[in-house]
Amino acid sequence: MRYWLMKSEPDEASIDDLANAPHRTLPWTGVRNYQARNFMRDVMQIGDGVLFYHSSCPEPGIAGIAEVSSSAYPDPTQFDKKSPYYDAKSSQETPRWVLVDVVFKKKIPLIPLAALREHAELQNMRVLAKGNRLSITPVTEAEWRFITKQLV
DNA sequence: GCCAACGTTGGC
DNA sequence: GCCAACGTTGGC
């Protein structure tokens, strides 16, 4: 059982979109970074906890709690020529990109990025590291517990 | 829109 | 394998 922080641009997929999706589940499409892909492919397991983070928006921060609900499988958008995530170098035979399904758990009052930075308990969070751009980062159990028990 | 920081590409 | 150039992320 592990914990993750997963970034999503709310214009594309917000916590409300997840809550309103069929089965309250969305495939985490569009990851095109090898490190993030490898987390999904090699490390994630069904039931892992997810901090749903809104990025590239007026109020970046943690907007909800979700859970990994599938193992990794090929991201169909890589084969779709009309998709912004299309990858001409990938193929059905040897897919380059994978995704997992994520299921909604709950929406929370937004915890802004600036608020996360105020807590000494979170000073080593990967997502807060200078220059971090990874869209999927591991969260320690201590960080998870602090956020879900003290800040929610 | 700016720009720091990082990831990827490709020539050599 | 090196590294310059380019592209992307994402907060502000």
Side-chain angles (χ1 to χ4, degrees):
Chain A
M1 175 72 171
R2 296 175 189 264
Y3 306 95
W4 307 92
L5 181 142
M6 298 175 77
K7 295 180 189 173
S8 181
E9 298 186 17
D11 285 350
E12 281 207 43
S14 70
I15 190 70
D16 291 325
D17 293 331
L18 184 63
N20 294 321
H23 307 293
R24 296 189 144 192
T25 297
L26 287 174
W28 205 263
T29 54
V31 169
R32 296 294 180 266
N33 168 284
Y34 290 103
Q35 221 180 323
R37 178 203 67 180
N38 293 348
F39 282 142
M40 291 194 288
R41 189 188 63 187
D42 305 332
V43 191
M44 272 188 187
Q45 295 188 311
I46 293 172
D48 282 1
V50 173
L51 301 172
F52 193 108
Y53 181 94
H54 285 173
S55 71
S56 295
C57 58
E59 285 189 297
I62 297 170
I65 309 294
E67 199 173 286
V68 175
S69 62
S70 81
S71 50
Y73 63 96
D75 179 346
T77 64
Q78 71 195 303
F79 308 123
D80 178 2
K81 287 191 177 174
K82 286 172 295 202
S83 167
Y85 301 120
Y86 176 68
D87 184 350
K89 295 177 185 162
S90 187
S91 70
Q92 297 275 357
E93 293 73 30
T94 55
R96 178 177 293 197
W97 305 110
V98 299
L99 53 70
V100 297
D101 291 340
V102 169
V103 62
F104 177 87
K105 286 289 158 184
K106 66 176 170 181
K107 184 176 180 176
I108 63 172
L110 187 88
I111 308 172
L113 178 59
L116 294 174
R117 293 193 190 283
E118 288 171 4
H119 297 284
E121 292 87 344
L122 303 179
Q123 62 180 345
N124 294 322
M125 266 192 97
R126 286 281 293 274
V127 74
L128 302 182
K130 186 179 180 183
N132 169 73
R133 301 186 335 182
L134 259 188
S135 63
I136 300 176
T137 47
V139 172
T140 67
E141 184 172 3
E143 290 162 350
W144 173 270
R145 293 184 61 169
F146 182 79
I147 290 168
T148 57
K149 297 198 171 18
Q150 307 295 322
L151 301 186
V152 171

